[in-house]
Amino acid sequence: MRNMEDPKLYAAYAGQYDIGPNVTLTVTTVRGQLFVQATKQPKVQLHPESKTRFFVTEAEVQMTFFPDDKGEVSEVVVNLKGQDLKAKRIK
């Protein structure tokens, strides 16, 4: 899946997303790879399934980013064990 990794695209996904009361998802890029960290949780790597959909190997979690026509992302949908949770971008 190396060919789906795109540092420029990942930079558009980096930021903070509000997923619920007192829980923020912080998405970062490190050396061309994408990571996510929820409040009071360890940072984990996001692995690409496509250019907008990612999964975590440590848990049953998938994340789908929704860029607009300009490539800006205002929300991500987190699928946690079959339940979809919308997270709005706050930074």
Side-chain angles (χ1 to χ4, degrees):
M1 292 198 195
R2 201 89 168 107
N3 59 346
M4 285 189 270
E5 294 179 6
D6 184 345
K8 290 180 183 177
L9 186 63
Y10 289 2
Y13 298 158
Q16 292 186 326
Y17 299 84
D18 180 23
I19 196 163
N22 303 316
V23 180
T24 299
L25 299 176
T26 301
V27 177
T28 56
T29 59
V30 178
R31 294 185 201 102
Q33 297 179 327
L34 201 60
F35 291 84
V36 64
Q37 183 172 16
T39 303
K40 297 183 181 180
Q41 298 296 317
K43 183 187 294 187
V44 293
Q45 186 174 353
L46 291 170
H47 302 278
E49 289 182 20
S50 72
K51 288 189 175 196
T52 58
R53 187 170 169 85
F54 298 81
F55 67 94
V56 173
T57 57
E58 296 82 355
E60 195 177 324
V61 175
Q62 292 84 32
M63 294 179 67
T64 305
F65 293 90
F66 291 92
D68 63 17
D69 293 342
K70 296 178 184 176
E72 296 175 11
V73 177
S74 61
E75 93 176 0
V76 62
V77 173
V78 179
N79 183 282
L80 179 62
K81 297 180 180 180
Q83 181 181 3
D84 285 339
L85 306 169
K86 289 184 179 182
K88 296 284 185 189
R89 185 181 205 130
I90 53 175
K91 282 189 182 179

